[in-house]
Amino acid sequence: MSIRTNTNKKDHLRQSVTTLHLSPVEAATTLPHESEALIFYTTHKSKPRIVDLNVFKTGQNTSSNNGRKAGPFSGRPELIAQLKPAIIDRAMLLADKSVEQILASLRAWWRIFDSVEAMTAHPITSVSQITDLHRQVALDRGMGQLEFRNFLQLANTTRNALGLKPLYWQSPSFKSVNRHLPSKWQTDIIRQKLKRHWFSVLDRWSLADDLREQCNPLVEHDSDPETHKEQRRLLRNYKLFDSVVEKTGNPRPSRSDFLQGLSVQTFYEQGFNYSDMLCGSYPDSFDIRVAFHLCLATTGWNPAVLLSLDVTTSIIENHPKDPGRYILRGTKARAGGAEQLSEGLLKSQGSAGFIIQTLINRTKSLRESLINDLQACKVSLAEIKRTSHTEADLELMRIHITSLEQGIKSPWIFVKKNGDDILWLTDKNYLGGANIKNIGFLTFIGKFIAALNLNRPKDKQLPLLQASDFRDAYAANQYHASGGSILYVMKALGHRSIRSTQGYLNNTLLNDEHQKLFGTFSEALWSEITVHQRVDPTIIAQRSRYGSITSEQRKRLQDYRTLMRSRVGVACTDPTNPPRHIAPDFIADGKAMCHVQRCTLCLENAVLLPDSLPGLCKRLAELRYLRSKMSVMAFQESSFLEEMGNTELALNAFDAQESMQLFEEWEKRINSGTHRVIEFD
């Protein structure tokens, strides 16, 4: 019996490949060798990759994997050869990140096999030798559900092909992750520091553009000699850079293009600096990651959504109702291509729309260079097809073309200060991780925060974050802004399921707040029952939110609740003594009530309440009816005009849609005759 292979790529079992990794950051310089058999090419439409399984054949002696502690494992050539067809069948159409998850699962199980062999001295060379002991060890070691299930599927596919019974293993239960989210003041500081560096980048480019335009320093020598000298040096650098770009036709000239026969030392002694030339024209790796993480913080999007933005389409457009705002559109591939929206002010230089538009304009020449490279690669691909090149050469060129196509679409193009490549952020390199002495592996944002902590007191240290934590912080901010509405957060995050939103709100920050609020609520509830023998929702809400309620506030609440309502639903503080301009003929005797009840004219005694909305809508409908029945002059000279203006002003304090709906209902009643309008004297 044979294992089913992917019919879209029938040559994926070929023997003609070698260890090779191609990415937009590091271009391959050698072609695959024909003697290797444990490497294959995936065929994902936008994120293909070369998968190397040789490490599972030879083993891994180092104690780290991609900068993270993982531990070594032994090689198992027979087992990986047996699993290879199932791995190819499973991974062939998957994206890069999903393939990496399968490889991570294999690494984890290779270490499990090493542990079991150390206990039993029975080597594992075939899936037929896998037993319940291996499952138990995996569970005891705390293996995650994804790593467990990925390998179980590969093992059962292989066992089925060999005519063996499948492994009826129950996967480990999903682990509830305790998501640690720092306080708002901490995330605000990090966001402000990112914004400050982004503004410094804008200032650097603005200075470079102004120097190029004026061809002279912007500061006079007499007023500031040091600044004048530095600007003159920068101007010489920018002029040399622009001349070399024009001469070579390359927006990213190499260092040798600038030397022109000079030694590197002489070049720098003359005041020239290759890094200054680049930084005055394009974003570097630090700038682009600052911009990327700032967009994460302001949009609340997943990193994958920002990385997948396609600048060849219309991703930024003017807001249809506000010319001062924009709408940024992204796509979430993991949600079936669901559209993600973010709004902001066009004039705000720290908004995601402004940042992305600035980067698109700044890297225009770099993108054009990538387009030229893409066209050249397509010509080379056609040449490879016509000649007798190997299939590996063909696959390598196809992957490189796909990579260039992604780079052309990306707004995150940048240059490095050393090297001649044009680069862009991808799923693999946007984190910008590195091993830091005495600290360990840190991502870009981790290193950024660690640098901030060097100048902060011990009691004001900032916690290390991951890029994905900005979405959690955004969700927490939206939760607070909405007064605790999970549906509002669900809409802000673009979720389809409320369960997904609940996961983002299940973090230490909000849980601590909820626990504190529950304690305050419980104390207020039982205190009110014990002391006042009643449960008043308004008082309990006041005590839960603000900690206490004063006797003066209790009296005000009681007074407002006992106020008499007029016919228009407005409370009156003195219904037995209306002002003269409201009822000039009224004789106050302490018992008679105001019979006029035109409350929006009575600024002295009227009190608007939440339940005053229906009565105010009714009165507005009556006033507009009276206006239609009276002459224009008579209505203008009466007090009805002032009353109508005050009523409309009062309705601004209520929901506009609800006000309009109630007004239309009263208008229909008046027109149908079911409600008669009283014409006051």
Side-chain angles (χ1 to χ4, degrees):
M1 179 179 291
S2 63
I3 299 178
R4 176 181 61 84
T5 58
N6 190 285
T7 57
N8 294 329
K9 197 66 181 174
K10 297 183 179 180
D11 60 345
H12 67 278
L13 296 179
R14 64 183 182 279
Q15 304 291 322
S16 57
V17 284
T18 189
T19 303
L20 182 62
H21 178 69
L22 176 67
S23 71
V25 181
E26 298 177 358
T29 56
T30 59
L31 292 176
H33 195 273
E34 293 289 327
S35 61
E36 294 291 345
L38 291 175
I39 299 179
F40 64 93
Y41 302 83
T42 63
T43 58
H44 189 270
K45 182 178 180 180
S46 60
K47 297 181 180 179
R49 62 168 289 172
I50 299 173
V51 182
D52 183 7
L53 302 177
N54 277 293
V55 67
F56 303 105
K57 174 184 176 181
T58 60
Q60 176 177 288
N61 296 324
T62 58
S63 60
S64 65
N65 174 42
N66 292 333
R68 297 173 176 82
K69 294 296 182 181
F73 53 81
S74 304
R76 302 179 184 278
E78 299 89 356
L79 182 58
I80 192 62
Q82 196 177 62
L83 289 170
K84 176 191 170 185
I87 297 172
I88 293 176
D89 189 65
R90 174 79 187 284
M92 182 59 67
L93 298 178
L94 296 181
D96 188 13
K97 193 172 182 179
S98 299
V99 174
E100 195 59 45
Q101 291 173 346
I102 295 176
L103 299 180
S105 176
L106 291 173
R107 293 187 189 97
W109 277 95
W110 252 238
R111 296 183 186 100
I112 294 296
F113 296 148
D114 285 348
S115 300
V116 174
E117 283 184 8
M119 294 185 293
T120 63
H122 294 302
I124 302 298
T125 59
S126 171
V127 292
S128 62
Q129 298 170 322
I130 300 175
T131 66
D132 288 342
L133 176 61
H134 299 94
R135 171 188 176 274
Q136 190 60 46
V137 172
L139 295 180
D140 293 342
R141 298 287 177 87
M143 180 177 288
Q145 188 182 71
L146 185 61
E147 291 178 331
F148 189 96
R149 295 180 65 177
N150 273 338
F151 180 78
L152 180 61
Q153 183 174 0
L154 297 175
N156 279 338
T157 301
T158 305
R159 288 173 68 93
N160 181 58
L162 296 174
L164 303 174
K165 293 182 179 179
L167 298 170
Y168 295 103
W169 288 352
Q170 184 175 357
S171 301
S173 57
F174 179 77
K175 295 180 181 178
S176 57
V177 181
N178 192 14
R179 301 160 69 98
H180 293 272
L181 190 63
S183 301
K184 184 177 183 298
W185 70 268
Q186 295 174 315
T187 54
D188 285 346
I189 289 176
I190 296 171
R191 185 172 61 252
Q192 290 300 325
K193 293 296 183 180
L194 288 170
K195 187 180 293 185
R196 182 174 300 178
H197 182 83
W198 168 248
F199 288 165
S200 70
V201 173
L202 294 178
D203 292 340
R204 186 180 74 215
W205 290 342
S206 177
L207 174 62
D209 293 344
D210 290 342
L211 289 174
R212 284 178 164 120
E213 182 178 355
Q214 296 192 17
C215 294
N216 277 304
L218 307 180
V219 177
E220 295 295 335
H221 181 272
D222 295 338
S223 61
D224 192 342
E226 291 298 324
T227 302
H228 177 86
K229 179 180 178 181
E230 175 62 15
Q231 290 185 357
R232 182 172 293 278
R233 185 191 68 83
L234 289 174
L235 181 57
R236 289 181 62 234
N237 278 268
Y238 299 150
K239 284 184 176 180
L240 177 60
F241 182 84
D242 294 342
S243 64
V244 173
V245 168
E246 184 177 0
K247 179 179 178 180
T248 61
N250 182 6
R252 178 66 167 84
S254 64
R255 193 186 302 267
S256 59
D257 294 329
F258 294 95
L259 295 179
Q260 299 177 355
L262 297 176
S263 66
V264 175
Q265 182 178 356
T266 305
F267 180 76
Y268 282 100
E269 287 176 351
Q270 292 181 357
F272 294 112
N273 189 296
Y274 188 55
S275 297
D276 288 342
M277 297 179 189
L278 292 176
C279 291
S281 305
Y282 312 119
D284 61 18
S285 60
F286 190 87
D287 300 336
I288 203 71
R289 288 185 172 90
V290 164
F292 179 80
H293 285 81
L294 184 54
C295 287
L296 285 179
T298 54
T299 61
W301 285 358
N302 287 312
V305 177
L306 277 178
L307 291 170
S308 64
L309 289 177
D310 184 358
V311 301
T312 61
T313 62
S314 179
I315 59 174
I316 302 176
E317 59 187 52
N318 292 331
H319 196 285
K321 295 184 178 180
D322 186 354
R325 299 179 66 84
Y326 68 84
I327 295 178
L328 177 64
R329 300 182 183 273
T331 302
K332 190 174 183 179
R334 224 171 36 172
E339 187 177 55
Q340 304 287 291
L341 299 178
S342 178
E343 298 181 15
L345 292 173
L346 289 170
K347 65 179 182 180
S348 175
Q349 295 184 339
S351 65
F354 183 92
I355 293 172
I356 292 173
Q357 190 61 60
T358 300
L359 292 175
I360 292 173
N361 296 335
R362 203 76 198 179
T363 58
K364 181 179 179 181
S365 59
L366 299 178
R367 185 169 289 103
E368 291 174 350
S369 179
L370 291 178
I371 293 174
N372 294 333
D373 291 345
L374 176 62
Q375 294 173 347
C377 286
K378 289 182 177 179
V379 173
S380 298
L381 179 63
E383 181 65 24
I384 290 174
K385 290 180 179 179
R386 289 194 300 268
T387 59
S388 58
H389 285 75
T390 64
E391 183 67 18
D393 295 338
L394 188 62
E395 291 288 358
L396 183 61
M397 184 57 70
R398 285 172 177 166
I399 291 178
H400 187 53
I401 287 175
T402 304
S403 176
L404 284 174
E405 289 173 343
Q406 296 303 310
I408 291 169
K409 297 176 182 178
S410 175
W412 313 109
I413 297 177
F414 65 100
V415 296
K416 292 180 69 175
K417 295 177 182 178
N418 52 348
D420 305 331
D421 297 329
I422 298 174
L423 314 173
W424 58 92
L425 295 184
T426 66
D427 292 332
K428 289 184 176 180
N429 68 11
Y430 80 92
L431 291 175
N435 283 307
I436 307 299
K437 186 177 180 180
N438 300 327
I439 297 179
F441 180 83
L442 287 180
T443 62
F444 164 80
I445 192 62
K447 292 188 292 182
F448 185 85
I449 296 172
L452 295 179
N453 284 333
L454 293 177
N455 300 318
R456 298 184 62 83
K458 291 184 178 181
D459 59 336
K460 296 293 184 180
Q461 293 286 292
L462 303 173
L464 299 181
L465 300 180
Q466 298 293 335
S468 57
D469 291 335
F470 285 107
R471 185 165 170 84
D472 295 70
Y474 181 85
N477 289 339
Q478 298 302 311
Y479 183 78
H480 288 135
S482 64
S485 172
I486 191 173
L487 295 177
Y488 184 88
V489 180
M490 177 180 174
K491 181 179 179 181
L493 296 182
H495 285 158
R496 294 180 177 179
S497 169
I498 199 168
R499 176 177 292 183
S500 301
T501 309
Q502 288 174 331
Y504 278 92
L505 298 179
N506 182 22
N507 56 66
T508 53
L509 176 65
L510 293 181
N511 289 341
D512 290 344
E513 290 179 359
H514 293 163
Q515 186 174 2
K516 182 179 179 180
L517 179 61
F518 178 76
T520 306
F521 170 80
S522 300
E523 190 278 330
L525 175 66
W526 293 110
S527 175
E528 289 295 311
I529 293 175
T530 303
V531 178
H532 300 280
Q533 287 80 45
R534 64 176 182 175
V535 176
D536 190 319
T538 304
I539 292 178
I540 292 177
Q542 168 70 17
R543 293 185 60 174
S544 298
R545 292 171 183 169
Y546 306 106
S548 63
I549 183 171
T550 65
S551 57
E552 189 271 337
Q553 289 173 327
R554 287 181 183 271
K555 185 177 184 305
R556 282 177 53 199
L557 177 63
Q558 183 63 26
D559 291 343
Y560 271 42
R561 285 175 171 173
T562 56
L563 289 177
M564 297 187 66
R565 265 69 163 180
S566 67
R567 76 174 196 94
V568 293
V570 176
C572 184
T573 59
D574 194 359
T576 61
N577 190 25
R580 284 294 177 185
H581 67 90
I582 297 294
D585 299 328
F586 184 84
I587 301 176
D589 58 4
K591 295 181 180 180
M593 301 291 179
C594 174
H595 62 276
V596 179
Q597 298 186 21
R598 298 172 67 187
C599 300
T600 53
L601 287 175
C602 185
L603 304 182
E604 296 86 349
N605 298 334
V607 179
L608 295 180
L609 300 174
D611 54 359
S612 301
L613 178 59
L616 292 172
C617 292
K618 175 179 70 173
R619 186 56 186 159
L620 181 60
E622 291 176 346
L623 290 170
R624 292 187 178 179
Y625 172 79
L626 291 174
R627 183 177 62 179
S628 66
K629 298 298 182 181
M630 298 172 61
S631 66
V632 175
M633 185 64 68
F635 189 84
Q636 293 287 339
E637 293 179 350
S638 71
S639 58
F640 290 139
L641 180 63
E642 181 184 359
E643 184 181 2
M644 185 166 66
N646 289 353
T647 305
E648 292 173 344
L649 184 63
L651 287 174
N652 289 335
F654 300 90
D655 181 73
Q657 185 175 356
E658 186 179 2
S659 301
M660 180 58 67
Q661 182 179 354
L662 290 172
F663 169 77
E664 291 175 351
E665 290 178 1
W666 281 108
E667 202 171 38
K668 290 179 181 178
R669 293 185 187 183
I670 294 173
N671 294 334
S672 64
T674 56
H675 175 72
R676 296 184 61 186
V677 178
I678 302 174
E679 297 187 20
F680 295 101
D681 184 7

